Amino acid sequence: MNIRKTLATLGISALVGLSAAQAVAAGTIKIGSFLAVTGPAAFLGDPELKTLQMYIDEINTKGGVNGMQLELVHYDTGGKAKEAVGFAKRLIKKDRVDVIVGGSTSGSTLAVIPLVEKDRIPFISLAGSVKIIDPVKKWVFKVPHTDRMAAAKIFEDMKKRGIKRIALISGSGGFGKSGRSQVLALAPEQGIEVVSDESYGAKDTDMTAQLTKIRNTDAQAILCFGFGTGPAIVTKNVRQLGIELPLYQSHGVASKKFIELAGAAAEGVRLPASALLVADKLPASDPQKGLLLAYKQRFESKYGPVSTFGGHAYDGLMITVRAIERAGGTDKAKVRDEIEKTRGFIGTGGIFNMSPTDHLGLDLSAFKMLEIKHGDWTIVE
Amino acid sequence: MKRLRGLFLLTLLVVILPLLFPDNYYVTVVAVSAALHAILAVGLNLLMGYAGLISLGHAAFFGIGAYTSGIVTTRFGLDPWSAMAAGMLLTGTIAFVMARPILRLKGHYLAMATLGLGIIVQIVLVQTEELTGGPDGLGGIPPLSLFGWEVDSDLRWYMLMSAVMLLVVWLALNIIDSRSGRALRALHGSEVAAEMMGIDTTVTKTGVFVVAALSASLAGSLFAHQQAFISPDSFNFFFSIELVTMVVLGGMASTFGAVFGAFVLTFLPELLVIFEDYEVMIFGAILMLMMIFLPQGLFVGLRDLLRRLLQQQRAPAPAPVVPAGEDKHDAA
């Protein structure tokens, strides 16, 4: 057989193989995802992707959804909004996925919203900003708590302790800035006065200047909004300066890493966080407890310490799967309607009750107020 | 019209592709971003390739154009075309004012100054939250419409973006073949010699800097309307570097080289996606190999190779005739 013949044979068999593959693909449900698996937001995207893969495999071995297998099509955005738009286009136009679960960062989610709305495809975002669902967009849903809820939860706890004047210090990244504007918007409604409004840069290594200014105000508590190393430095500096005020952090530091970084200074810090962090300390009557322990155990047996971010991917995936089951197929409009009808779904982030006016469906009870004691989380009652 | 042969070829390609593949993802989606990148690369190539002035902050002008369009249309309700003009006016003014102090510098110092410009614009976009929406970005930018014909589908964007790209390529070719184009190349060769021949180098440099900025601003406005959402990280330092890579990869001092570089760098990641975790590594390896074996740039290198082969076949070969100025790719 000469080379030309071999090539022709190869080509034909490749074509046959392709069409066979497509025939199989007809019976699958395609779930698209774009996540920040690498880059500065990898701590979000990495556990999210692992969770999606783990649970999609499990669903498939159990026989799939409505007798159809799930297929995950995912791309790594590196945390960049522009890449996210490109990959979302690819998911919709080339891979022709049935639904999208993804978008690790608020920036990447907000960037693809115009596209998703135009091409009418159900999209569950895994990012934090309240802007994603407020105002409500027909095809866009999200599962993580919003920064507005975090601010509200913190204010609720402050009012219980009789705190009326606070000093705010926030990071200059997207998370810190968005949190800052929510705090400033919500404080007057809650009867809380922000007497000092400081910020720090993403790479700052010392915040004593800002904290010295705060010390000279009549604030009764300090609230720090940010993630990464910044909040840990703030915590250390507060103690070094001998400031005795109660210190609140946002849900952005809800990981063991924060306690490691801040060390002994973290004692007494309060923050709102998802119940996943304290799954084993929840009372047995808590409806989330069983699920949280199961997810934690499964994730940790395979990949190491659990984070709330992977939990968001679980919630997004399961809400989608239930909606497809109820819709009896992958018709995009029907699936969208069914996602909107999600009621009483127990997820890792809380109990979801979505509605046409609420595409998140969580209330303040989804957050637990935690206090760090002896290097571990405890629930504040 | 021998001079514009390449442009006709490109036009033909642009027209035929969507007729053959009207619903192909690579044509209607990827080629649109490639055309956008080509507009940027052609502008930057005038500056880098022909005048020999390196810019590591080209994304800044792209960003100013995009944000002017975004802000003016969403907050002040101006129509997109006036917004585009406003963006170009603003970018042109900034470039004109910046040109004098910045272009006095040479080599590494010029690179540093343009780098600083890019970073300053980035910081302004992030910090002026009330106007730009800060790091969360700016949404709700209306679509473009042309004589009551709304540019809303992928195919329509393909047509508009390609048309603008062809226009920019045509303008660039004309600039290069004009008196000021020759002045630019003289400048690249030796600034002192250019001055000796009576070229006002300051005016020439400022001019090319402003033209490059204007084309970037135009691309930025188109980008803003196409995406309907913009955020500062689309205009960061890394994007500037990407643009420089497009120009260098395609072949400096060749307009079609810049177009080619833009298309290669846009399509390559799309095609490499199937390798998943190894994508970035393979991408890097390909770039390295290209620069090792075709240091004068992909387009220029391949074209010269083809020419040599053709001449060898047509024996007896006359000495290779290479149009002057097309092959000055030695300095950066």
Side-chain angles (χ1 to χ4, degrees), chain A residues 177, chain B residues 67 125-138 231-232:
Chain A
K177 267 197 173 316
Chain B
Y67 266 95
L125 293 183
V126 171
Q127 293 297 335
T128 52
E129 230 179 314
E130 300 74 26
L131 209 58
T132 62
D136 275 350
L138 183 71
S231 66

Side-chain angles (χ1 to χ4, degrees), chain A residues 7-43:
Chain A
L7 279 180
T9 326
L10 272 177
I12 289 167
S13 42
L15 274 178
V16 173
L18 260 181
S19 44
Q22 267 165 355
V24 173
T28 60
I29 297 169
K30 277 190 164 186
I31 296 183
S33 191
F34 58 95
L35 300 165
V37 182
T38 57
F43 70 101

Side-chain angles (χ1 to χ4, degrees), chain A residues 74-75 79-82 85-87 89-90 93-94 96 107 110-111 114 118 129 131 172-174 177-178 180, chain B residues 23 25-26 29 37 126-127 129 133 135-136 152 154 223 226-229 231 233-234 239 270-271 273 276:
Chain A
H74 71 89
Y75 299 111
K80 286 173 273 188
K82 207 170 146 224
V85 174
F87 286 132
K89 273 188 190 164
R90 199 179 162 105
K93 285 164 187 163
K94 178 145 194 303
R96 300 187 192 276
L110 289 165
K118 201 175 91 186
S129 173
K131 285 187 200 165
S172 59
K177 267 197 173 316
S178 174
R180 172 181 171 269
Chain B
D23 203 25
Y25 166 76
Y26 292 102
V29 178
H37 290 154
V126 171
Q127 293 297 335
E129 230 179 314
D136 275 350
D152 51 2
D154 291 334
F223 176 76
Q226 190 211 5
Q227 304 271 323
F229 175 93
S231 66
D233 70 330
S234 301
F239 188 61
E270 284 286 337
L271 300 174
V273 151
E276 287 192 19

Side-chain angles (χ1 to χ4, degrees), chain A residues 129-198:
Chain A
S129 173
V130 69
K131 285 187 200 165
I132 296 166
I133 47 147
D134 182 24
V136 173
K137 285 136 201 114
K138 192 172 176 203
W139 297 87
V140 182
F141 301 85
K142 71 174 232 128
V143 284
H145 321 96
T146 67
D147 30 22
R148 186 179 296 171
M149 288 167 65
K153 187 78 185 178
I154 292 169
F155 288 156
E156 194 184 85
D157 191 65
M158 285 176 169
K159 281 195 287 188
K160 273 189 214 155
R161 294 166 93 179
I163 294 167
K164 289 232 164 54
R165 291 181 307 279
I166 62 161
L168 175 66
I169 177 164
S170 52
S172 59
F175 182 81
K177 267 197 173 316
S178 174
R180 172 181 171 269
S181 54
Q182 296 303 330
V183 167
L184 294 180
L186 212 57
E189 294 173 24
Q190 302 276 337
I192 282 176
E193 193 191 346
V194 180
V195 295
S196 174
D197 176 15
E198 297 291 330

